[in-house]
Amino acid sequence: TIDNFSFITIGGNLEVTTDEYVFIQQGEDASWETFNESEGAGELFVANEELNYTITAFGTTDWHNKLVIKPLPLTALASYRFEFEIRADKEIEGVFIANEIGTWNPVVYTSISISNTPTLLSFVTDGMIFSDLSIELLWQFGGYATNVAPAIIVLSQLTIYQIV
């Protein structure tokens, strides 16, 4: 029998550190790439320190058109906020995922809607990360009936905040 149960939040000063990612490098050494499968087709290029994902055909499944950034280390005993600016040349539906590399264990999984107005989006892990993780950030756009090619999606100002 449980007679008494409560959640207690202990407050105090939180230490926040940030990692900002500047998109200037292309080629084999870059930590970002696209994954276009089956019917999905697109290319990635960097211009003005922004990632530009030009999609010429949307696939039938969300991961058919995917932008990937990896690997990113998350250290244990902290929570994290992922913040980025994104826009497109038309209305685009998708999903943003922060996932542990090598397994399906997302620490963030959320739907996103993109328009031609630059929008700063911010997502926080559900709680504290209890072990060191190497993660990948995924933006997936295939499989949405409303997404029409060709389309250009622009990603900039990626910042990861560690909150301890």
mmCIF file of all heavy atoms in Angstrom, residues 71-93:
data_model
loop_
_atom_site.group_PDB
_atom_site.id
_atom_site.type_symbol
_atom_site.label_atom_id
_atom_site.label_comp_id
_atom_site.label_asym_id
_atom_site.label_seq_id
_atom_site.Cartn_x
_atom_site.Cartn_y
_atom_site.Cartn_z
ATOM 1 N N PRO A 71 28.440 12.905 -34.604
ATOM 2 C CA PRO A 71 27.966 12.538 -33.266
ATOM 3 C C PRO A 71 28.081 13.735 -32.332
ATOM 4 O O PRO A 71 28.958 14.574 -32.474
ATOM 5 C CB PRO A 71 28.945 11.441 -32.861
ATOM 6 C CG PRO A 71 30.235 11.844 -33.513
ATOM 7 C CD PRO A 71 29.831 12.536 -34.805
ATOM 8 N N LEU A 72 27.209 13.804 -31.374
ATOM 9 C CA LEU A 72 27.228 14.856 -30.375
ATOM 10 C C LEU A 72 27.218 14.204 -28.995
ATOM 11 O O LEU A 72 26.312 13.434 -28.684
ATOM 12 C CB LEU A 72 25.999 15.765 -30.516
ATOM 13 C CG LEU A 72 25.845 16.484 -31.851
ATOM 14 C CD1 LEU A 72 24.492 17.155 -31.944
ATOM 15 C CD2 LEU A 72 26.945 17.497 -32.029
ATOM 16 N N PRO A 73 28.216 14.489 -28.167
ATOM 17 C CA PRO A 73 28.248 13.860 -26.845
ATOM 18 C C PRO A 73 27.367 14.612 -25.845
ATOM 19 O O PRO A 73 27.352 15.833 -25.807
ATOM 20 C CB PRO A 73 29.726 13.963 -26.449
ATOM 21 C CG PRO A 73 30.209 15.188 -27.168
ATOM 22 C CD PRO A 73 29.429 15.260 -28.452
ATOM 23 N N LEU A 74 26.611 13.862 -25.071
ATOM 24 C CA LEU A 74 25.868 14.408 -23.941
ATOM 25 C C LEU A 74 26.433 13.745 -22.696
ATOM 26 O O LEU A 74 26.493 12.524 -22.615
ATOM 27 C CB LEU A 74 24.372 14.092 -24.040
ATOM 28 C CG LEU A 74 23.605 14.611 -25.245
ATOM 29 C CD1 LEU A 74 22.120 14.291 -25.088
ATOM 30 C CD2 LEU A 74 23.804 16.095 -25.446
ATOM 31 N N THR A 75 26.851 14.542 -21.738
ATOM 32 C CA THR A 75 27.403 13.976 -20.513
ATOM 33 C C THR A 75 26.295 13.753 -19.491
ATOM 34 O O THR A 75 25.271 14.439 -19.493
ATOM 35 C CB THR A 75 28.500 14.877 -19.915
ATOM 36 O OG1 THR A 75 27.961 16.177 -19.711
ATOM 37 C CG2 THR A 75 29.690 14.973 -20.846
ATOM 38 N N ALA A 76 26.535 12.785 -18.634
ATOM 39 C CA ALA A 76 25.542 12.357 -17.657
ATOM 40 C C ALA A 76 25.264 13.443 -16.618
ATOM 41 O O ALA A 76 26.044 14.375 -16.435
ATOM 42 C CB ALA A 76 26.027 11.089 -16.969
ATOM 43 N N LEU A 77 24.132 13.266 -15.948
ATOM 44 C CA LEU A 77 23.693 14.098 -14.838
ATOM 45 C C LEU A 77 23.431 15.543 -15.246
ATOM 46 O O LEU A 77 23.801 16.494 -14.566
ATOM 47 C CB LEU A 77 24.682 14.019 -13.671
ATOM 48 C CG LEU A 77 24.917 12.596 -13.148
ATOM 49 C CD1 LEU A 77 25.937 12.600 -12.036
ATOM 50 C CD2 LEU A 77 23.611 11.949 -12.721
ATOM 51 N N ALA A 78 22.773 15.681 -16.378
ATOM 52 C CA ALA A 78 22.362 16.991 -16.876
ATOM 53 C C ALA A 78 21.116 16.808 -17.739
ATOM 54 O O ALA A 78 20.825 15.715 -18.211
ATOM 55 C CB ALA A 78 23.472 17.637 -17.695
ATOM 56 N N SER A 79 20.395 17.885 -17.929
ATOM 57 C CA SER A 79 19.348 17.903 -18.939
ATOM 58 C C SER A 79 19.831 18.818 -20.059
ATOM 59 O O SER A 79 20.798 19.563 -19.896
ATOM 60 C CB SER A 79 18.017 18.376 -18.350
ATOM 61 O OG SER A 79 18.139 19.659 -17.799
ATOM 62 N N TYR A 80 19.160 18.758 -21.199
ATOM 63 C CA TYR A 80 19.638 19.480 -22.378
ATOM 64 C C TYR A 80 18.494 20.170 -23.090
ATOM 65 O O TYR A 80 17.367 19.675 -23.113
ATOM 66 C CB TYR A 80 20.331 18.515 -23.350
ATOM 67 C CG TYR A 80 21.632 18.003 -22.795
ATOM 68 C CD1 TYR A 80 21.667 16.900 -21.962
ATOM 69 C CD2 TYR A 80 22.826 18.645 -23.072
ATOM 70 C CE1 TYR A 80 22.856 16.448 -21.412
ATOM 71 C CE2 TYR A 80 24.024 18.206 -22.543
ATOM 72 C CZ TYR A 80 24.028 17.103 -21.710
ATOM 73 O OH TYR A 80 25.211 16.668 -21.175
ATOM 74 N N ARG A 81 18.826 21.327 -23.668
ATOM 75 C CA ARG A 81 17.886 22.050 -24.530
ATOM 76 C C ARG A 81 18.540 22.188 -25.899
ATOM 77 O O ARG A 81 19.690 22.615 -26.014
ATOM 78 C CB ARG A 81 17.546 23.423 -23.959
ATOM 79 C CG ARG A 81 16.490 24.148 -24.801
ATOM 80 C CD ARG A 81 15.992 25.415 -24.157
ATOM 81 N NE ARG A 81 16.962 26.484 -24.355
ATOM 82 C CZ ARG A 81 17.423 27.263 -23.394
ATOM 83 N NH1 ARG A 81 17.036 27.089 -22.146
ATOM 84 N NH2 ARG A 81 18.278 28.222 -23.664
ATOM 85 N N PHE A 82 17.790 21.839 -26.930
ATOM 86 C CA PHE A 82 18.252 21.950 -28.313
ATOM 87 C C PHE A 82 17.487 23.097 -28.955
ATOM 88 O O PHE A 82 16.259 23.118 -28.928
ATOM 89 C CB PHE A 82 17.973 20.648 -29.080
ATOM 90 C CG PHE A 82 18.578 19.442 -28.428
ATOM 91 C CD1 PHE A 82 17.860 18.694 -27.514
ATOM 92 C CD2 PHE A 82 19.882 19.077 -28.715
ATOM 93 C CE1 PHE A 82 18.424 17.586 -26.902
ATOM 94 C CE2 PHE A 82 20.458 17.972 -28.104
ATOM 95 C CZ PHE A 82 19.722 17.226 -27.191
ATOM 96 N N GLU A 83 18.223 24.048 -29.497
ATOM 97 C CA GLU A 83 17.602 25.242 -30.058
ATOM 98 C C GLU A 83 18.168 25.474 -31.452
ATOM 99 O O GLU A 83 19.374 25.361 -31.658
ATOM 100 C CB GLU A 83 17.906 26.416 -29.145
ATOM 101 C CG GLU A 83 17.137 27.667 -29.441
ATOM 102 C CD GLU A 83 17.381 28.702 -28.350
ATOM 103 O OE1 GLU A 83 16.687 28.656 -27.314
ATOM 104 O OE2 GLU A 83 18.287 29.536 -28.552
ATOM 105 N N PHE A 84 17.296 25.779 -32.402
ATOM 106 C CA PHE A 84 17.742 26.033 -33.768
ATOM 107 C C PHE A 84 16.723 26.910 -34.478
ATOM 108 O O PHE A 84 15.557 26.966 -34.098
ATOM 109 C CB PHE A 84 17.938 24.720 -34.544
ATOM 110 C CG PHE A 84 16.727 23.828 -34.563
ATOM 111 C CD1 PHE A 84 15.770 23.934 -35.554
ATOM 112 C CD2 PHE A 84 16.548 22.878 -33.571
ATOM 113 C CE1 PHE A 84 14.653 23.109 -35.561
ATOM 114 C CE2 PHE A 84 15.436 22.048 -33.565
ATOM 115 C CZ PHE A 84 14.488 22.163 -34.565
ATOM 116 N N GLU A 85 17.226 27.611 -35.501
ATOM 117 C CA GLU A 85 16.347 28.399 -36.351
ATOM 118 C C GLU A 85 16.149 27.622 -37.643
ATOM 119 O O GLU A 85 17.100 27.057 -38.194
ATOM 120 C CB GLU A 85 16.954 29.769 -36.648
ATOM 121 C CG GLU A 85 15.998 30.662 -37.411
ATOM 122 C CD GLU A 85 16.558 32.055 -37.599
ATOM 123 O OE1 GLU A 85 16.438 32.881 -36.670
ATOM 124 O OE2 GLU A 85 17.123 32.283 -38.677
ATOM 125 N N ILE A 86 14.918 27.595 -38.115
ATOM 126 C CA ILE A 86 14.604 26.835 -39.322
ATOM 127 C C ILE A 86 13.557 27.590 -40.129
ATOM 128 O O ILE A 86 12.709 28.299 -39.571
ATOM 129 C CB ILE A 86 14.134 25.405 -38.955
ATOM 130 C CG1 ILE A 86 14.178 24.493 -40.172
ATOM 131 C CG2 ILE A 86 12.807 25.417 -38.240
ATOM 132 C CD1 ILE A 86 14.112 23.017 -39.830
ATOM 133 N N ARG A 87 13.661 27.459 -41.441
ATOM 134 C CA ARG A 87 12.663 28.035 -42.346
ATOM 135 C C ARG A 87 12.649 27.196 -43.623
ATOM 136 O O ARG A 87 13.540 26.392 -43.857
ATOM 137 C CB ARG A 87 12.972 29.499 -42.663
ATOM 138 C CG ARG A 87 14.216 29.711 -43.510
ATOM 139 C CD ARG A 87 14.478 31.206 -43.752
ATOM 140 N NE ARG A 87 15.572 31.427 -44.665
ATOM 141 C CZ ARG A 87 16.865 31.406 -44.342
ATOM 142 N NH1 ARG A 87 17.232 31.151 -43.088
ATOM 143 N NH2 ARG A 87 17.796 31.639 -45.250
ATOM 144 N N ALA A 88 11.637 27.400 -44.439
ATOM 145 C CA ALA A 88 11.531 26.700 -45.726
ATOM 146 C C ALA A 88 10.894 27.650 -46.730
ATOM 147 O O ALA A 88 10.346 28.685 -46.354
ATOM 148 C CB ALA A 88 10.696 25.434 -45.579
ATOM 149 N N ASP A 89 10.973 27.284 -47.973
ATOM 150 C CA ASP A 89 10.381 28.155 -48.990
ATOM 151 C C ASP A 89 8.877 27.938 -49.139
ATOM 152 O O ASP A 89 8.219 28.624 -49.912
ATOM 153 C CB ASP A 89 11.097 27.983 -50.333
ATOM 154 C CG ASP A 89 10.968 26.587 -50.913
ATOM 155 O OD1 ASP A 89 10.634 25.639 -50.158
ATOM 156 O OD2 ASP A 89 11.218 26.422 -52.123
ATOM 157 N N LYS A 90 8.331 26.979 -48.375
ATOM 158 C CA LYS A 90 6.890 26.705 -48.351
ATOM 159 C C LYS A 90 6.572 25.975 -47.057
ATOM 160 O O LYS A 90 7.473 25.626 -46.305
ATOM 161 C CB LYS A 90 6.471 25.872 -49.558
ATOM 162 C CG LYS A 90 7.171 24.527 -49.641
ATOM 163 C CD LYS A 90 6.770 23.713 -50.860
ATOM 164 C CE LYS A 90 7.371 24.355 -52.097
ATOM 165 N NZ LYS A 90 7.213 23.592 -53.291
ATOM 166 N N GLU A 91 5.307 25.742 -46.790
ATOM 167 C CA GLU A 91 4.901 25.022 -45.587
ATOM 168 C C GLU A 91 5.394 23.577 -45.661
ATOM 169 O O GLU A 91 5.142 22.880 -46.652
ATOM 170 C CB GLU A 91 3.380 25.030 -45.436
ATOM 171 C CG GLU A 91 2.776 26.422 -45.318
ATOM 172 C CD GLU A 91 3.055 27.066 -43.982
ATOM 173 O OE1 GLU A 91 3.044 26.358 -42.973
ATOM 174 O OE2 GLU A 91 3.279 28.297 -43.959
ATOM 175 N N ILE A 92 6.110 23.138 -44.620
ATOM 176 C CA ILE A 92 6.664 21.782 -44.566
ATOM 177 C C ILE A 92 6.370 21.199 -43.185
ATOM 178 O O ILE A 92 6.543 21.874 -42.173
ATOM 179 C CB ILE A 92 8.196 21.787 -44.801
ATOM 180 C CG1 ILE A 92 8.540 22.360 -46.172
ATOM 181 C CG2 ILE A 92 8.796 20.397 -44.612
ATOM 182 C CD1 ILE A 92 8.170 21.472 -47.336
ATOM 183 N N GLU A 93 5.949 19.948 -43.159
ATOM 184 C CA GLU A 93 5.755 19.208 -41.910
ATOM 185 C C GLU A 93 6.926 18.256 -41.721
ATOM 186 O O GLU A 93 7.495 17.759 -42.695
ATOM 187 C CB GLU A 93 4.443 18.407 -41.943
ATOM 188 C CG GLU A 93 3.212 19.260 -42.071
ATOM 189 C CD GLU A 93 3.004 20.169 -40.882
ATOM 190 O OE1 GLU A 93 3.172 19.713 -39.730
ATOM 191 O OE2 GLU A 93 2.683 21.350 -41.091
#
